[in-house]
Amino acid sequence: MTLNQEKHILVTGFGGQGIIMAGDILGKAATIYDGKNATMTQNYGPEARGGACSSQVIISTGDILFPSVSEPQVLVCMSQEGYTKNIKSLRRGGTFIWDTDLVKTRKPDATWKTYHIPATRFAEELGNTMMANIVMLGFVAAVEGLVQIDALRKAVLESVPPNTKDNNAKAFDRGCEYGEAILKGRAKQEESRDQA
Amino acid sequence: MSVKKAAKKPPLHPMDALLRVDRLPHIWCPGCGIGSVFSTVMAAIQKSEEDLDQIAMVSGIGCTGRIAGYVKLDSYHTTHGRAIPFATGLKLAKPDTKILVVSGDGDLFAIGGNHIIHAARRNIDMTVICVNNFNYGMTGGQQAPSTPFGAKTTTTAEGSPEEPFNFSALAAACGAVYVARWTALHIRLLTNSITEAMNKRGFSFIEVLTPCPSSFGRRNRMRTGLDLLTFYHDRSVIMNDIDPKNASLNFENDLVVGRFVDIERPTFMDNYQAVKEHQIAPWPPPGRKTVEEAL
Amino acid sequence: MAGQAVMTGTYFMNGDHACCEGALAAGCRFFGGYPITPATEIAERMSRRLPECGGIYIQMEDELASIAAVLGASWGGVKAMTSTSGPGFSLMMENIGLGLCTETPCVICNVQRAGPSTGLPTLVAQGDMMQARWGSHGHYEVIALSPSSPQEMFDFTIQAFNLSEQYRLPVFVMADEVVGHMNERVIIPREEDIKIANRRKPSVSPAEFKPYQADPDGIAPMANCGDGYRIHVTGLTHDERGYPVMDDATQKQMTDRLIRKIKNNRHKIIQTENFYLDDAQIVVVAYGISARSARQAMHEARAKGISVGFIKLNTVWPFPEELIRSLAPRLKALIMPEINAGQMVLELERCAGGACPVELVSHFGGALIHPSSILDAITKVQKGKKKS
């Protein structure tokens, strides 16, 4: 039971992908630019690079007391291990988002909304796989609406090194546009199904 | 009450201005050489004509550590082995203060060994005076990192099975900009040396071979301070400027003393300031090939 | 923001970084430390922020050296701190004793991880609470605060500096891995709105000054190095002049004052946040990160109609003995959640004095205490069931 309208988000991947940074940016967007409260906690192993890691974000309109996320409503997977370890924790009716190329999924729960994006490939196309987390944030903003897209975009630009701002803005927009396109496509499908 | 009495008495000794006369008599044994070292330190301070408010003394634990309790300066008698890191904090917080660390060989090189090597490496601007009496005197004469191979102490009754450190060589290897070794007999040379060290910017180190008849001498057939001083007198040879690696304390032949190192090197604060102002060259420096070429 | 000691504004910041900003806002200008998970982020940020604020950061060779350098810097007249976690805290204990004995203001932030020994370096615990109280040898009183959020890391670090300066002793900020690594909103007020306390300086001439002669409130004015007082400072038992005196009378005089200067001022030092104590039949007492779980459990229990109150210990040492003693006789139970096998609960039990049962909700470290565990304990007490 939670006291306020809390949204629990778990972002998983491996060290070096910017998983913690993604959680930080999401929380920053909610806290600084979207008038909400947020906490971000992290789990990481002893390895500096390559080990499994996750960031847990709670976004709420009220006070957040217990900051751990054990049963997320939104699960973002950017590694196979992150998927295998955490998929069972996703709540019924939750949203499951993954990197198309990095995660092989089994049949998802019928109650989940599911979205995937080749975030790492897009980042590579834009010149740097390190921006996969930013592509993913843009995508999450578009399909899940955890925070205002503008707020998240501002938080991204505030958090990345100044000389990478332009590229990261492109990465964010790429993810965002891809998400919006998917939503449009699905809306059309539903429309045509309704008409049929 | 005794405080007031002492304060009213006219100065009895030329060093009274530097002494906490109300703390006398001191704890050192008859024949101990720490008093001589203390006198040379005070003489060097007087000679320096520094503002006494701007000199601080820091010591660790042991007989020598007690010097800080008798000197009328801002003086800090810290924990065993930690005089140098305490002095490091004090110096960096108050860079204009001259810092003297006076402590024993066990305090500085056994329990505090890690600190002296790093302070020398960083070239923290301080003068460290190590009273080396070859054992832990205060606790009754146990083996120290200076105890000569074969020497008897209460914990090496049949003779020490370990090789001792060469403190001067160690300090020099770690980056000290001034290194000297004297005995407690070399009063004038030692006093000059302390003055030089105090005027040196950076980490300066002076080792003083000092008699400890009560704990060390009597177990090694030198029962009085005079026995030990005679021993030092007969065996010490002055060899200035030699590599301290070769300045061995070879008790069969020579106890090499002298001023071994006197070099210039930027201090910690010099480099801290340079880095802060981006006044240092990028690393790695250009070699025969740049990093990119090498890769 | 570069160069500003007080970074007025609103941030989404982790607790370790908020600790640094609190320290800088409090006037800290010296940090001597050694990297250790999960406190490393404090050292890292200080290494960037202190030089730009005119201070000194030095990474020492170990924690023994770190705390020694901090004490030295404090005597040099500069507010100083270090940060560490369990293993480093253990190494610091001897010189924490020197700081207590010589009455040296400074701040030590312990971002706790699970022990004993190397334990779980990256995972949360609250296992050093008794070590903070009794870890150095001999008898003394300490002040320790326990933040439960990045905002409190900022606020309590300022308070820790203020208390250390006012009462002249090393003050502990007992954080933990989750608080240290958790990001949350941190509001840094305007500089003029931050209350700062500084050590009391001598008001008499060097000839009249006795470095350990206390004012009526038990606190002795402090002469920094170079102030012209030329004092002697020692970790040996000393008299008012600061001179070593090896006898039981001086030991009594010195130790008694070290204890009384904290005990007699405890009403000014102790800070708790109390919720629903008026109608509470069951009171949960918690500190640090576990206070968040406890508060949530309290809300959930009250939503079920159970009269639960909550005491959040902002200072953990000194312990609010009088508050607990006055409450216990009318309570069904006191409950304490903590991430250890039961430490502060011993103090809670002592203060309850048998007037009501005291229940421990414990976890050995590596994870937070879930509010549901506390709620279970509340429910059991409410139903009159004995804890198994």
Side-chain angles (χ1 to χ4, degrees), chain B residues 18 64 81:
Chain B
L18 262 169
T64 311

Side-chain angles (χ1 to χ4, degrees), chain A residues 15-26:
Chain A
Q17 269 183 320
I19 298 297
I20 309 293
M21 187 186 189
D24 178 44
I25 292 173
L26 200 52

Side-chain angles (χ1 to χ4, degrees), chain B residues 3 17 20 22-23 52-54 68-69 72-77 79 85-86 89-90 93-94 114-115 118 122 272 276, chain C residues 51 55-57 59-62 65 68-69 72-73 75-76 78 95 225-226 228 230-236 241 243-244:
Chain B
V3 190
R20 296 188 190 279
D22 50 347
R23 283 220 58 215
L52 296 183
D53 291 349
Q54 301 308 320
K72 196 157 171 48
L73 295 171
D74 281 317
S75 56
Y76 303 91
H77 179 225
T79 45
F86 184 100
L90 185 60
K94 231 175 145 34
N114 197 29
H115 309 309
H118 288 280
R122 296 183 182 112
Y272 190 83
K276 194 169 135 180
Chain C
I56 298 280
Y57 166 89
Q59 185 170 313
M60 297 301 288
E61 50 274 19
D62 56 29
W75 279 101
V78 172
N95 266 356
C225 180
R230 287 159 66 186
I231 62 168
H232 182 55
V233 175
T234 177
L236 285 166
R241 298 171 300 170
Y243 291 175

